[in-house]
Amino acid sequence: NQVALMAGYTAESAGFKKALQLAKKEGLVEYHNETTVRMSPAGLRRYPGVSTPTSNQEFMKRLQRIMTMKKVPKKAGELLLMLLKDGKSYTVAEVAHETGYPSAETPGFKKFI
């Protein structure tokens, strides 16, 4: 989800899945396991200017910029930032609940995340 978010997609979007498949096919990313993807050595050489957030604070700043660009509902965005500022991991269901959505399956939440 973090990779999709940093790229301006949702993790379930067809655009993100296609972009990730193409990057893998070109050898730019590699999978650590089923849910973890990272830049490959070839990807890092090809895109040396790409940086990963080095702290939770930097991640939060990027997330805030992305939410502004995507016009995320203000209250849900504020709740998300409050939730994530501790640097812990949360399930999608937990994020949905904490940001006021009844379920991670609702169309509004899918658009939000």
Side-chain angles (χ1 to χ4, degrees), residues 60-72:
M60 298 296 286
K61 286 179 184 177
R62 288 188 189 187
L63 179 59
Q64 198 165 20
R65 283 195 307 266
I66 290 166
M67 288 191 312
T68 300
M69 289 180 349
K70 290 181 72 175
K71 299 180 180 167
V72 167

Side-chain angles (χ1 to χ4, degrees), residues 8-110:
Y9 293 96
T10 61
E12 297 303 317
S13 73
F16 176 67
K17 289 177 181 179
K18 183 170 180 130
L20 200 53
Q21 287 171 344
L22 289 172
K24 184 179 179 192
K25 185 177 179 179
E26 290 185 30
L28 302 175
V29 297
E30 54 192 31
Y31 288 86
H32 177 67
N33 60 40
E34 243 179 61
T35 59
T36 305
V37 63
R38 64 180 175 200
M39 293 280 287
S40 68
L44 292 169
R45 283 190 302 276
R46 185 165 173 186
Y47 298 102
V50 173
S51 64
T52 58
T54 56
S55 66
N56 190 51
Q57 185 177 22
E58 186 179 340
F59 174 77
M60 298 296 286
K61 286 179 184 177
R62 288 188 189 187
L63 179 59
Q64 198 165 20
R65 283 195 307 266
I66 290 166
M67 288 191 312
T68 300
M69 289 180 349
K70 290 181 72 175
K71 299 180 180 167
V72 167
K74 185 175 181 176
K75 182 164 177 75
E78 288 173 353
L79 290 170
L80 178 63
L81 290 172
M82 286 175 49
L83 176 67
L84 297 178
K85 73 180 180 180
D86 63 9
K88 295 180 183 176
S89 296
Y90 294 91
T91 67
V92 174
E94 289 171 328
V95 172
H97 175 73
E98 293 297 326
T99 54
Y101 290 92
S103 160
E105 299 304 315
T106 62
F109 180 74
K110 287 182 177 184

